[in-house]
Amino acid sequence: MSSTITSLTIIRPDDWHLHLRDGAVLASVVGDTARQFGRAIIMPNLKPPVTTVALAAAYRDRILAAQEKAGIPQRDFTPLMTLYLTDNTSVQDIEQAAKSGFVHGVKLYPAGATTNSDAGVTDLLGRCSLVLEAMQKAGLPLLVHGEVTDPDIDLFDREAVFVDRVMIPLRRAFPELKVVFEHLTTSEGVQYVRYAEGPVAATLTAHHLLYNRNALFAGGLQPHWYCLPVLKREKHRQALLDAATSGNNRFFLGTDSAPHPRGLKEAACGCAGCYTALHAMELYATAFASVDRLDRLEGFASRHGPAFYGLPENTGTLTLERADFKIPAELPMAGSTVVPLAAGQSLQWKVASTGA
Ligand code: OTD
Ligand code: ZN
Ligand code: ZN
């Protein structure tokens, strides 16, 4: 594809990994996602977490109400709900989820791995075998935050160690279980997902495709680039970009957009999460254009995800144009502000329109 391309129309994309939060924050951020994406997998790490189908149904209603208030009708955006797996999740919870029609995955947070993950699983195969078996039977995907939490393991090695300690034994015990390795960040993770047997896929964030760990320390400590799993070395970024632009349908889009108020990021103990929902498709287009592979963006953003989840592709379109997009310094959010990733910088791609 020629690097002189100035416009690109793709099937309306979906975001397969998103944090929308709740209440006033939800009301502030939902429009950013719903303007670009037809659907999004909504992460369940609220406080308290979304652990049952009843809680997921109530959360879904709050999202639908917030999006309507933001001017986005229900037919234009569908939240796909998930349950938060705990040591106490029951087989009945799984059966209800599979029957519900609106719960599309169950999320594994190793206890303590990321923001609001204290209620997470302590011993997956030891505590959750019956639940995993029920998920495998029902075809309900397990979505994993793939990092070990062992404090003896170096922060930058936690994903690679997770592959050996958790993914390989998990897949051996449940070979037909659908598994999404969320927000992959390393070449070891890419290698695993490429060659593993059975139904395995991975989401990739825009920030891990565009930035390496130098961004965290460029000119001083940069809290708005801090997320978990943390940004890695350049060779890992290149492996991720290679996977995203390879056409392999095991890799698809998941922003992991995770808004926090400015003051909680710019703090002595700043919290993890990057806000990318505002300019998600601009960021992904920039990453794909950097290796002259915009022709592969539609598969990654709009086709591979629905194929894995067993859902139809969206019917609408989204058009990107080569044009300057200045990322704002901050945005209003629930009486405070949120700083979007790469605030103040410019991107060379811009969402021009969405079509029916
Ligand atoms: N990572 N922040 C959050 C979640 C993700 O691990 C994740 O999915 C969050 O704030 O909820 C983050 O850095
Ligand atoms: Zn995670
Ligand atoms: Zn996340």
Side-chain angles (χ1 to χ4, degrees), residues 117 149 198 290:
S117 62
T149 53
S290 74

Side-chain angles (χ1 to χ4, degrees), residues 17 19 43 107 183 256:
H17 184 132
H19 300 268
M43 288 294 141
K107 184 70 196 277
H183 48 48
D256 200 13

Side-chain angles (χ1 to χ4, degrees), residues 112-323:
T114 188
T115 306
N116 300 348
S117 62
D118 300 345
V121 170
T122 57
D123 173 13
L124 182 66
L125 290 178
R127 305 291 292 258
C128 304
S129 278
L130 292 176
V131 159
L132 293 169
E133 195 160 338
M135 289 173 60
Q136 175 171 259
K137 199 166 145 216
L140 192 62
L142 179 72
L143 320 180
V144 304
H145 180 109
E147 289 191 291
V148 295
T149 53
D150 182 342
D152 290 340
I153 305 293
D154 188 276
L155 184 78
F156 291 93
D157 298 334
R158 288 182 181 177
E159 185 172 287
V161 174
F162 185 89
V163 169
D164 292 337
R165 286 196 191 166
V166 184
M167 285 300 271
I168 291 173
L170 169 69
R171 299 228 43 85
R172 202 171 287 145
F174 301 97
E176 299 306 319
L177 178 67
K178 284 187 171 186
V179 178
V180 184
F181 206 140
E182 299 290 340
H183 48 48
L184 214 53
T185 62
T186 61
S187 62
E188 291 89 345
V190 166
Q191 184 83 353
Y192 176 74
V193 170
R194 269 210 177 107
Y195 298 111
E197 284 180 29
V200 184
T203 54
L204 296 167
T205 79
H207 41 295
H208 290 96
L209 295 180
L210 284 168
Y211 301 101
N212 64 38
R213 65 191 191 180
N214 287 355
L216 279 162
F217 309 108
L221 196 55
Q222 301 290 343
H224 299 292
W225 265 267
Y226 174 56
C227 64
L228 292 170
V230 76
L231 293 171
K232 304 294 192 301
R233 280 180 182 279
E234 176 62 11
K235 70 167 188 196
H236 296 293
R237 186 191 73 83
Q238 284 181 14
L240 301 171
L241 190 55
D242 191 56
T245 59
S246 66
N248 184 332
N249 66 4
R250 289 190 167 194
F251 299 100
F252 44 83
L253 186 158
T255 62
D256 200 13
S257 178
H260 291 280
R262 179 170 202 147
L264 294 184
K265 296 278 298 171
E266 298 174 6
C269 184
C271 46
C274 298
Y275 189 62
T276 54
L278 172 77
H279 45 337
M281 287 310 298
E282 283 88 352
L283 291 165
Y284 281 108
T286 302
F288 276 62
S290 74
V291 288
D292 211 4
R293 282 258 70 125
L294 281 168
D295 59 322
R296 300 256 166 93
L297 184 60
E298 182 177 61
F300 177 78
S302 315
R303 309 182 75 124
H304 303 167
F308 186 85
Y309 275 87
L311 294 168
E313 291 169 8
N314 289 321
T315 51
T317 60
L318 177 134
T319 299
L320 287 144
E321 277 175 10
R322 192 195 289 273

